[in-house]
Amino acid sequence: MPNTRVTHFKPSAAHVAIIMDGNGRWATRRGLPRLAGHKRGVERVREVVEACPELGVTHLTLYAFSTENWKRAEDEVAGLMRLFRWYIRKEAAKLVEAGVRLRFIGNRSRLDEGLQKLMASVEDMTRENTRLNMTVAIDYGGRDEIIRATERMIDAADAGELKRSCLDEDTISRFMDTGGLPDPDLVLRTSGEVRISNFLLWQAAYAEYNFLDICWPDFTAETLSHCLENYNSRERRFGAVMG
C-alpha cells in the first residue's frame, strides 16, 4: 500500500458502498488496453480495504460486475473473470490475516464452477473475521436481486415458513442478498457519472450519495477520508424537520 496519509476520525458512515467506475476510460486515456485499467482498479481495492478500519468504516461494499456488464466485449468479460480469480487467490490469506470477512452478492449461479468454488472457499476462510466486513457484488443488479428475493419469499410462504401478516421491511431485507448486513450510509461513484446504475436499490433508500469526477484507479485512501469528512458535514433529516 502506498504511504498515503489519511485523516483519522470516527465517522458516522460505518457502511460505505462504492460503484467502482471508470477503469476502462482510465486506461484508454493513457493508450492502454481496457484490462490494464481493471487491473489497476483491483490494486486500488487493497488500499481502500486497508484504510477502512483506520477510518472507522466497519462495512465496505464494492460493485465489481453488474448484470449489464455481460454485454461488454467477450474478451473484456473473460479478462474480468480472470482478474476475480487472481484477486481471490492472491488476497485470501492476507484477508484472513487482516481480519477482513469477505462475502459475495449477486447471481453467482451464472459464473463458472471454478470461480464459484473459489468464492465459497474464501467466504468460508474469512467467516470468523470481524475487523472489516467486505462485500463484493459480482453479476449483481438491484432489480435482479429484488426478483430473486421475491422468489425466495414465495418459496418460504409455500413451505409455511412465512406468513403474509409478517411481511414488512425487515422481513424483505432478510431475504435480500445482503440479509443480515446493515444498509449503506454512504454510496460513492467514481468516473463522473451521476446515476446509481441498479446498485443496492432497496438497501440505499436513505443513503447519502457522493459522485466523484475521478476514475476508480485514481481513488485513494485520502479520497475516502475526504468523502467521509464531507458526509459528516451533512445534516441527515430522514424526513423530519430540524429546528
Side-chain angles (χ1 to χ4, degrees), residues 21-103:
D21 195 21
N23 293 329
R25 272 166 282 179
W26 181 91
T28 300
R29 291 169 187 167
R30 289 161 176 77
L32 301 170
R34 287 177 59 85
L35 280 173
H38 293 304
K39 190 171 190 303
R40 179 65 177 268
V42 169
E43 293 168 358
R44 281 302 186 196
V45 169
R46 177 189 287 184
E47 178 177 345
V48 171
V49 168
E50 291 180 352
C52 278
E54 296 180 26
L55 293 170
V57 175
T58 60
H59 290 75
L60 175 68
T61 299
L62 302 174
Y63 202 6
F65 189 88
S66 73
T67 51
E68 291 75 25
N69 286 157
W70 292 109
K71 300 174 185 177
R72 294 188 177 185
E74 187 175 338
D75 60 339
E76 183 175 356
V77 172
L80 285 167
M81 295 302 160
R82 288 194 299 270
L83 271 178
F84 295 148
R85 293 188 193 91
W86 175 82
Y87 177 84
I88 293 172
R89 292 189 180 111
K90 185 172 183 290
E91 298 294 319
K94 297 173 184 176
L95 293 173
V96 172
E97 184 180 351
V100 178
R101 180 175 183 180
L102 178 58
R103 281 172 274 209

Side-chain angles (χ1 to χ4, degrees), residues 175-231:
F175 282 90
M176 303 294 280
D177 290 356
T178 53
L181 295 172
D183 289 340
D185 301 295
L186 175 64
V187 179
L188 308 176
R189 180 175 186 151
T190 56
S191 84
E193 301 291 350
V194 187
R195 58 179 181 271
I196 60 176
S197 292
N198 203 16
F199 183 49
L200 300 180
L201 299 181
W202 174 267
Q203 299 87 339
Y206 294 102
E208 294 288 319
Y209 280 81
N210 195 340
F211 298 97
L212 307 170
D213 288 332
I214 62 172
C215 291
W216 173 248
D218 292 324
F219 190 99
T220 65
E222 186 72 15
T223 309
L224 177 59
S225 177
H226 289 321
C227 290
L228 291 168
E229 288 177 328
N230 175 270
Y231 173 89

